[in-house]
Amino acid sequence: MLRAAQCRPLKLQRFSTSLWKTSPARRKHATITDTSNNPPNIGDELHGFAFKRREYIPELELTASLFQHVGTDAEYLHVARNDQNNVFSVGFKTNPPDATGVPHILEHTTLCGSQKYPIRDPFFKMLPRSLSNFMNAFTSSDHTTYPFATTNPQDFYNLMSVYLDATLHPLLNPNDFIQEGWRIGPQNPTSKGGEADNKLVFKGVVYNEMKGSMSDASYLYYIKFREQIFPSLNNSGGDPQKMTDLTYQQLKKFHADHYHPSNAKILTYGNMDLHQHLQAIGSQLNSFRKTYPDTEIRQPIYLGEVPQNITVRGPMDPLVDKDTQFKTSTSWLMGETSDINETFSLSILSSLLLDGYGSPLYKNLIEAGLGSDWSPNTGFDTSAPRGIFSIGLNGVKEADVEEVKHAIMQTFTAFYKSGFDKIKVDGILHQLELGLKHKTAQFGMNLMQRLQPGWFNGVDPFQALAWDKTVAAFKANYAKKGYLESLIEKYLLNGRTLTFTMEPSATYGEDLEKEEATRLEGKIADVARTAGGEEKARAQLRETELALLKEQESASNQDLSCLPTVHVKDIPRQKEKKALREGTIDSVKVQWREAPTNGLTYFRAINTFEHLPSELRMLIPLFTEAIMRLGTKDMSMETLENVIKLKTGGIAASYHASASPTNLKSSSEGMSFSGYALDSNIPAMFELLKNIILETNFDGPEAESMIRELLQSSSGGAINSIAESGHSYARRFAEAGLSQHGQLSEDISGLTQVKLTSSLAARPLSEGLVDIITKLKEIQLLAISNSGAMRVAMTCGSESSSANEASLQAFLSHLPSHSINTPIRSPPDFSRNAKTFFPLPYQVYYSALALPTVPYTNPSSAPLQILSQLLTHKHLHHEIREKGGAYGGGAYARGLGGVFGFYSYRDPNPQNTMKIVQDAGRWAVEREWTDRDIEEAKLSVFQSLDAPESVSEEGLTKFLNGIDEDMEQTKREQLLDVRKADVRYVAEKYLVGGMSHGNWAILGEKKDWVKESEGWNIQSLGMAEAASES
């Protein structure tokens, strides 16, 4: 998959602290001798590797050891830590030679079969033969990585073997290239339909993935920006307009040139034996000899004294006012990212300038009305050899484009002169300190993702790990007066800038379609010249497509015995229990989880509502944003943000809804509040929560303008959010007509919420938002209470329980003593519609079908979960992705809510997907399932069921959803005991028998097949017209 997170910096969080978190189990330190009595010495050679370096990092409780393979110079970094969630990654430097996406297509194609595992698509066939909790591959801008994580040692070496053979010895068959990359073929080659089915189209999994990516205007802006500031690094994901120039021979050559141990960096992490790792990896590398691949560290362009200005065209956003469609940013080149200390300091500077509603750039740009939200490239990007600092806005008026840069430069000048308040710097450092203490189950994966981009660009991984030294160096520099201000002068107060603007084009989508049609015509003409005419060319392309289909069909019944596997017998029948203590304070129920937490306390509360009117429920997302934006009568939001950073690891408010685990007709809803802090700061955290929830000032003179900002920001990002995860939106809408819980989810986070937000954002200034503010104040009155409607979960060390209980009691005593029940009103009419279509400006489609089933505790819930995995891995992946060309597709079953569903993602042919899904139940009933099939499906289910969890998450299944340990244990045993007959029974009853009760939802470009006369309910989300008319 294309790794977007590696491609562009995070939008709001400029410097991630997620890596620096401690492991689930505490000890003094982990060392290279964890599992060996014979630690190597520097210079020793083991299993073909020379031992180069070792360092113990006490603040992270780990020991890092660096090895170099003697025969090839491959680098291998092992991070020993007392963590059972072991991680492996192999990566290669893959500077893209052009924009055909050859690194991305190769990433897919290597996983389609290898010398040791010569079956079709062993990567996806390993998914149900593993207990891994993470397994994927990523194409980044200049490197490609293949990581996994698992707690099972046998599983670890199984997957390592598959990954190394796939990358070093792939088969790279021509048919794998045209399946994953691109080809030309009939729309529906096996159909006996008319001209539409026989129409020749471009196909390919990656081709359609990137058409979907290019439909995301945020991604498009970022990638076009990168083309300008980093022309030496072509688009590694691939531009669909260039992708069809890639040949099979070029793919094979790129592999030969780049996927070699001499070009590799390998990382392992966890508590497994280093010597066994060295032996397993060495056995794969020792047959290779050193080569000299392209490991050039590419540089961005030189920015001279004369500012550069570039403008490109982009799509219109149908949910945004047509007069605020410009995106613009200004960028500066910073220092070498190999200078860890300065890079860290520049990250702090970025946070001071950008983070939070009280930040100077937010105030001077977004609050000033120049735009609605940050541009996609905003932030400090350290993934390249030189840092790139960018600041920009979405939702800009054409007349304000130049003013954006002017306001940025004014801000820099002002803070160069005045400096930054020490309290803000201290707040950021406090957040980093808590990041070190906060335990996470994904420490190893976070570490890998953090280290590898820099490692491939000359950053010393040992320096990157030396956290205390980096912070100490910053503090020493900061103690010198004017240090941060000197960085502003050094890098930002100059004319060496690139201003990149994307202007809206009403014909952008139409122009893309015309370009693709012209390109397709030209490619067909190329085939015709060699085939002897267009008719012969069409016949040849059809035959190629049918040959591929035949190979794909034969692969569905391949003997997979060459693939390694773990077994269901490796899964413990008894789930490990986490000790929970129940108590009450006044009438509030309190759940206590006492465990080692590194001196932190975690708080979560849910206040439930009865008979909440829909018009209030729909505004809860806006309410939760507003209370973190407006401030109180006594404290501005900037001041509150300072205290939050100084006293907590963060606080949050959100809507909460849960279906009953025993009754589909029952669900609950309310508001959830959470936060964590050092044990000593819990009273301060509670005081902050109380003030923000109860005392946010909705009557202030700037309240309405701030709320409008929030609405415009949400509306401006909606179309891109849908493009990124359209299948999730389709699923929510399809489920909404099946149950009360489905309706609640759609109201809060679905297309219904998008439509409401867009309409409010488009409301004319003359109408005001008084009615909305009145409703927000109503929500504030019922948001939280010291009553039986409230429940609390506390996670902390046993040594801090008493103090925390006293603090909690004081907090509750200041809350309203009774919940406020709203008047009983008739439930809204959300009648089922079997087929709903949302026209949206995308080049591909997103679809979902939802069927009603049974609650969590029903015995049929377990075989339905198993069935969803069987259909995904044995049928739908094959039909929708491999044959249909969609980027993704599958089935899911959810006991909470009682839903069985199907989905497709970035799908070029939703009509074909509909046929496959509608026949899936009958296919499952008639399939002769084997014991191996059932076992693999069970393994797939338990990957997530038994995935490691952070200490802060322990006990939350019960607290949030009412699923106690007895229910979980019963469900576990039911899942382990599912039989083939059980699968057929639920397939017949709930899929075949229930298909007529299902709901379809499809998102994408409206074509002729979407007709109201054929039962389609066509719903529009567009509100931009209303805005522009106002």
Side-chain angles (χ1 to χ4, degrees), residues 110-119 122 161-162 164-173 255 284 287-288 562-563:
T110 56
L111 301 174
C112 289
S114 64
Q115 290 180 15
K116 188 175 181 180
Y117 307 108
I119 60 170
S161 176
V162 171
L164 287 175
D165 202 62
T167 53
L168 299 176
H169 306 288
L171 298 179
L172 298 182
N173 290 324
H255 178 270
Q284 295 270 7
S287 62
F288 288 86
C562 68
L563 284 177

Side-chain angles (χ1 to χ4, degrees), residues 8-11 217-219 221-222 327 374-378 394:
R8 58 181 186 242
L10 293 176
K11 198 170 184 184
S218 291
Y219 174 83
Y221 180 91
Y222 181 76
K327 296 178 174 68
W374 300 118
S375 63
N377 60 335
T378 293
N394 297 330

Side-chain angles (χ1 to χ4, degrees), residues 145-259:
T145 52
Y146 298 78
F148 66 79
T150 181
T151 60
N152 184 291
Q154 183 59 55
D155 196 29
F156 185 93
Y157 289 110
N158 290 349
L159 291 172
M160 180 193 286
S161 176
V162 171
Y163 270 55
L164 287 175
D165 202 62
T167 53
L168 299 176
H169 306 288
L171 298 179
L172 298 182
N173 290 324
N175 275 348
D176 295 331
F177 167 66
I178 64 173
Q179 171 185 289
E180 298 297 316
W182 75 275
R183 65 188 186 278
I184 300 171
Q187 178 81 31
N188 293 304
T190 59
S191 174
K192 297 180 181 179
E195 184 178 342
D197 286 329
N198 291 315
K199 177 185 177 183
L200 292 175
V201 296
F202 283 122
K203 295 184 168 185
V205 171
V206 177
Y207 186 79
N208 287 314
E209 177 189 351
M210 295 314 298
K211 283 181 71 175
S213 292
M214 291 298 194
S215 295
D216 178 345
S218 291
Y219 174 83
L220 180 66
Y221 180 91
Y222 181 76
I223 210 67
K224 293 299 182 184
F225 160 74
R226 287 280 297 192
E227 288 174 1
Q228 299 298 328
I229 202 163
F230 227 127
S232 62
L233 273 181
N234 291 289
N235 181 353
S236 61
D239 184 339
Q241 296 183 7
K242 306 293 184 184
M243 199 175 289
T244 51
D245 293 333
L246 182 65
T247 67
Y248 172 63
Q249 289 72 26
Q250 290 170 332
L251 180 88
K252 292 194 70 175
K253 183 178 187 304
F254 191 82
H255 178 270
D257 291 344
H258 294 82
Y259 276 48

Side-chain angles (χ1 to χ4, degrees), residues 108-128:
H108 281 241
T109 314
T110 56
L111 301 174
C112 289
S114 64
Q115 290 180 15
K116 188 175 181 180
Y117 307 108
I119 60 170
R120 191 171 184 81
D121 222 351
F123 175 81
F124 280 100
K125 290 182 171 67
M126 276 301 294
L127 286 172

Side-chain angles (χ1 to χ4, degrees), residues 606-906:
I606 293 174
N607 191 47
T608 56
F609 304 146
E610 296 287 342
H611 315 304
L612 184 69
S614 177
E615 62 264 26
L616 294 187
R617 175 185 308 112
M618 295 282 288
L619 290 174
I620 288 180
L622 179 59
F623 174 81
T624 59
E625 288 188 77
I627 62 174
M628 301 301 294
R629 172 69 183 100
L630 302 187
T632 68
K633 290 181 180 179
D634 300 324
M635 299 178 74
S636 69
M637 197 63 231
E638 180 179 2
T639 302
L640 285 168
E641 284 179 340
N642 290 340
V643 181
I644 289 170
K645 289 178 181 178
L646 278 169
K647 297 296 184 181
T648 79
I651 57 177
S654 63
Y655 175 81
H656 172 78
S658 178
S660 166
T662 61
N663 183 357
L664 292 183
K665 295 182 179 180
S666 176
S667 65
S668 63
E669 66 176 329
M671 286 194 63
S672 172
F673 304 95
S674 61
Y676 77 96
L678 293 170
D679 293 340
S680 58
N681 284 335
I682 288 300
M685 184 191 76
F686 282 143
E687 182 67 16
L688 277 166
L689 278 165
K690 177 180 71 70
N691 290 341
I692 286 172
I693 299 166
L694 298 180
E695 298 179 22
T696 289
N697 185 11
F698 287 98
D699 295 318
E702 297 179 344
E704 184 170 323
S705 64
M706 290 179 176
I707 290 170
R708 192 177 293 275
E709 282 172 26
L710 296 174
L711 290 166
Q712 290 174 346
S713 177
S714 295
S715 177
I719 200 74
N720 300 322
S721 176
I722 298 170
E724 189 172 340
S725 53
H727 62 306
S728 298
Y729 282 93
R731 280 167 54 165
R732 275 191 289 269
F733 192 86
E735 292 174 17
L738 300 183
S739 68
Q740 182 186 27
H741 179 257
Q743 177 191 329
L744 299 179
S745 297
E746 169 62 21
D747 281 353
I748 292 298
S749 54
L751 295 169
T752 305
Q753 179 68 209
V754 170
K755 191 168 185 175
L756 172 68
T757 302
S758 299
S759 66
L760 293 177
R763 185 183 283 191
L765 286 171
S766 58
E767 287 187 21
L769 295 170
V770 173
D771 58 325
I772 302 302
I773 291 174
T774 298
K775 291 173 182 175
L776 295 176
K777 289 161 71 175
E778 287 185 53
I779 296 171
Q780 187 176 31
L781 291 175
L782 56 87
I784 195 166
S785 65
N786 181 6
S787 72
M790 179 98 151
R791 64 183 187 270
V792 170
M794 300 288 289
T795 301
C796 59
S798 56
E799 70 281 0
S800 59
S801 293
S802 296
N804 283 331
E805 186 165 3
S807 298
L808 178 59
Q809 187 159 20
F811 169 63
L812 294 174
S813 69
H814 288 93
L815 302 182
S817 58
H818 298 288
S819 61
I820 299 174
N821 288 331
T822 56
I824 298 177
R825 306 187 189 188
S826 299
D829 178 19
F830 203 89
S831 56
R832 169 180 172 265
N833 190 292
K835 295 163 67 176
T836 305
F837 189 92
F838 291 88
L840 288 167
Y842 303 143
Q843 300 180 60
V844 287
Y845 293 83
Y846 306 86
S847 69
L849 171 68
L851 305 170
T853 58
V854 295
Y856 179 90
T857 55
N858 189 291
S860 289
S861 179
L864 282 166
Q865 273 189 269
I866 300 301
L867 175 61
S868 71
Q869 296 301 313
L870 288 167
L871 283 171
T872 296
H873 295 292
K874 300 298 181 181
H875 184 51
L876 299 173
H877 172 83
H878 175 64
E879 294 291 331
I880 296 174
R881 179 183 166 107
E882 291 183 355
K883 293 167 65 175
Y887 182 50
Y892 64 97
R894 191 164 57 246
L896 278 173
V899 174
F900 193 98
F902 302 85
Y903 66 92
S904 70
Y905 178 69
R906 293 182 178 171

Side-chain angles (χ1 to χ4, degrees), residues 388-410:
I388 300 173
F389 185 49
S390 303
I391 302 167
L393 296 176
N394 297 330
V396 180
K397 294 178 181 178
E398 183 175 9
D400 289 338
V401 168
E402 292 186 10
E403 180 59 26
V404 171
K405 181 179 178 181
H406 179 65
I408 294 169
M409 297 306 300
Q410 281 189 319

Side-chain angles (χ1 to χ4, degrees), residues 326-557:
F326 280 75
K327 296 178 174 68
T328 188
S329 65
T330 299
S331 300
W332 296 258
L333 296 182
M334 311 300 272
E336 300 289 331
T337 52
S338 57
D339 184 341
I340 295 292
N341 293 336
E342 187 182 72
T343 298
F344 177 83
S345 299
L346 289 168
S347 297
I348 298 287
L349 177 63
S350 174
S351 293
L352 290 167
L353 290 167
L354 283 164
D355 280 0
Y357 295 117
S359 65
L361 284 168
Y362 185 92
K363 286 182 172 182
N364 294 343
L365 297 177
I366 296 176
E367 193 173 296
L370 293 176
S372 61
D373 197 6
W374 300 118
S375 63
N377 60 335
T378 293
F380 182 38
D381 183 355
T382 61
S383 63
R386 285 195 69 181
I388 300 173
F389 185 49
S390 303
I391 302 167
L393 296 176
N394 297 330
V396 180
K397 294 178 181 178
E398 183 175 9
D400 289 338
V401 168
E402 292 186 10
E403 180 59 26
V404 171
K405 181 179 178 181
H406 179 65
I408 294 169
M409 297 306 300
Q410 281 189 319
T411 305
F412 289 166
T413 301
F415 277 84
Y416 168 68
K417 293 178 179 178
S418 68
F420 297 93
D421 291 338
K422 185 175 183 298
I423 189 174
K424 293 183 181 294
V425 177
D426 291 342
I428 293 172
L429 293 176
H430 180 253
Q431 294 294 298
L432 298 175
E433 177 193 353
L434 293 192
L436 280 170
K437 289 179 169 291
H438 178 52
K439 294 186 173 185
T440 172
Q442 297 299 326
F443 180 96
M445 191 58 61
N446 292 335
L447 181 142
M448 183 277 297
Q449 294 173 352
R450 174 82 180 177
L451 291 183
Q452 282 204 315
W455 195 10
F456 277 106
N457 282 296
V459 176
D460 181 349
F462 288 86
Q463 287 188 27
L465 287 170
W467 186 251
D468 278 356
K469 291 180 182 178
T470 303
V471 173
F474 169 77
K475 289 180 176 179
N477 285 323
Y478 180 63
K480 305 170 186 175
K481 186 177 180 181
Y483 173 61
L484 290 172
E485 294 75 18
S486 71
L487 294 177
I488 294 178
E489 181 182 32
K490 180 178 180 181
Y491 290 113
L492 302 177
L493 293 182
N494 57 58
R496 295 188 290 274
T497 61
L498 171 70
T499 297
F500 181 75
T501 302
M502 181 173 281
E503 62 181 10
S505 168
T507 63
Y508 186 83
E510 181 182 341
D511 293 343
L512 281 183
E513 289 187 5
K514 288 179 180 177
E515 185 281 331
E516 185 178 55
T518 302
R519 181 162 37 92
L520 177 63
E521 186 179 336
K523 293 294 181 182
I524 294 172
D526 291 344
V527 179
R529 279 191 287 273
T530 59
E534 184 173 336
E535 187 174 338
K536 290 183 178 179
R538 290 179 176 275
Q540 178 181 313
L541 291 169
R542 180 178 177 83
E543 288 171 8
T544 300
E545 186 74 12
L546 292 173
L548 175 61
L549 282 173
K550 184 177 180 180
E551 183 173 328
Q552 290 168 334
E553 286 292 344
S554 64
S556 64
N557 295 308

